[in-house]
Amino acid sequence: MGGIKMSDGKILFDPMKHAEWIPPHSREWYEQLFKETGEYRYPWKSQFEEPRAEIIFGHKIAANLNYGRLLDVGCGHGEFALQFALDAREIVGIDVVEGFIEKGNQHKSLGNINFMVTDGDGHLPFPNDYFDVAYTKKGPRDWYHEANRIVKPGGMILGLYHAGSHGGLRDRFPGLYSPMPQPEANDILSDLNLHGSGLTDIHVELFEEIEYLATPEDVLIKKCFGQNHKLKEIVWQECLQDVEVIFNKHATKQGLKVFNYYHLLTARAS
Ligand SMILES: C[S@@+](CC[C@H](N)C(=O)[O-])C[C@H]1O[C@@H](n2cnc3c(N)ncnc32)[C@H](O)[C@@H]1O
């Protein structure tokens, strides 16, 4: 069993070592999520302290839009993109999961929005210099060469990527969660294939966000996000009692404090 033995004693069951574990962010994982909820949405209950990474990211997009054309790469069911509907001349969202795209098109409110099944890591089916702003929120990492082609020179390209959660989770629940090095801003640059992309003014910020998980079950719901029912049953049986003890010992009135880290990339097309 993995994990480091901490002061709370026990090393908990590690669902990642079970044969039913679906690797997060694989195609199978996104399809499983769609099957279960029809959406890409976090199912655990929690409260956040301000500022929130997604809100800051949304403000940066809006500030650069100037009623232009906007692309969301890896849009999920499209909810995040819809907030820009009145501020954009046109919005396109692309994703590889057909179900997310169908759902996005069913719920879009205005004719200037279109969701399409497209692989963001391949050739993007748009003319040169078509968009004013393009972003991904936790989506593909290999689209920046194409971003530079399809966004107008000087247009903004943004990426928000989850860089792991820390705080209570990793220290308090060894085995269930494993240790993680403290992320740093430039960690992500080697993953993003920016070399030779033509992008300029590349800037990466590491953003720390504070979340309070509401109940012990939410610790397990977060861990098992996107996993199948069978594995969830096993995890609940193996871990819930221990997780309740640890949670109750460390939670504040707001819940169990967790730090979420995000990398926020901004760049300009040339
Ligand atoms: C972590 S989810 C985020 C969804 C949405 N952007 C949000 O923040 O709620 C990542 C999304 O990227 C999509 N995705 C992953 N790889 C992709 C690719 N190569 N091309 C297009 N979409 C992709 C997934 O299907 C999923 O909907």
Side-chain angles (χ1 to χ4, degrees), residues 122-131 143-153 157 197 199 269-270:
H123 169 76
L124 299 181
F126 308 108
N128 294 354
D129 304 338
Y130 187 74
F131 291 100
W143 64 291
Y144 291 102
H145 287 70
E146 278 291 88
N148 190 51
R149 180 183 66 76
I150 61 177
V151 172
K152 291 175 186 159
I157 291 152
S197 63
L199 297 184
S270 64

Side-chain angles (χ1 to χ4, degrees), residues 46-56 207-213 252-260 262:
S46 63
Q47 295 180 38
F48 289 89
E49 273 182 19
E50 299 290 332
R52 290 208 55 194
E54 296 195 356
I55 292 174
I56 289 180
F207 195 89
E208 186 183 277
E209 180 183 81
I210 297 174
E211 180 177 18
Y212 294 90
L213 298 178
T252 67
K253 264 194 215 146
Q254 288 161 286
L256 187 77
K257 188 173 185 176
V258 171
F259 295 94
N260 297 317
Y262 286 91

Side-chain angles (χ1 to χ4, degrees), residues 17-48:
K17 296 205 170 125
H18 195 277
E20 294 283 334
W21 178 259
I22 306 170
H25 306 289
S26 59
R27 186 70 69 90
E28 186 190 358
W29 187 78
Y30 285 119
E31 295 289 353
Q32 165 64 27
L33 266 176
F34 176 73
K35 219 167 56 189
E36 206 160 289
T37 66
E39 299 180 339
Y40 187 86
R41 190 193 296 284
Y42 294 158
W44 57 90
K45 288 192 290 309
S46 63
Q47 295 180 38
F48 289 89

Side-chain angles (χ1 to χ4, degrees), residues 51-73:
R52 290 208 55 194
E54 296 195 356
I55 292 174
I56 289 180
F57 188 62
H59 288 163
K60 282 188 193 279
I61 294 166
N64 284 279
L65 197 47
N66 296 321
Y67 205 70
R69 291 196 172 105
L70 178 65
L71 176 67
D72 182 332
V73 178

Side-chain angles (χ1 to χ4, degrees), residues 1-6 11-17 21 163-182 219 223:
M1 284 211 173
I4 297 171
K5 202 162 177 159
M6 305 298 286
I11 297 205
L12 301 172
F13 175 77
D14 181 351
M16 292 172 67
K17 296 205 170 125
W21 178 259
S165 296
H166 217 302
L169 288 179
R170 292 176 191 273
D171 299 342
R172 313 272 189 227
F173 304 99
L176 183 64
Y177 282 91
S178 35
M180 175 190 96
Q182 182 70 22
V219 173
K223 181 70 200 187

Side-chain angles (χ1 to χ4, degrees), residues 228-241:
N228 66 31
H229 191 66
K230 186 171 161 196
L231 182 59
K232 285 182 188 164
E233 271 187 0
I234 298 169
V235 173
W236 260 242
Q237 225 168 15
E238 294 279 344
C239 293
L240 185 58
Q241 272 189 344

Side-chain angles (χ1 to χ4, degrees), residues 30 40 74-76 95-97 100 118-121 137-140:
Y30 285 119
Y40 187 86
C75 61
D95 203 283
V96 277
V97 177
F100 286 154
T118 303
D119 183 352
D121 285 334
K137 183 161 88 59
K138 302 182 280 184

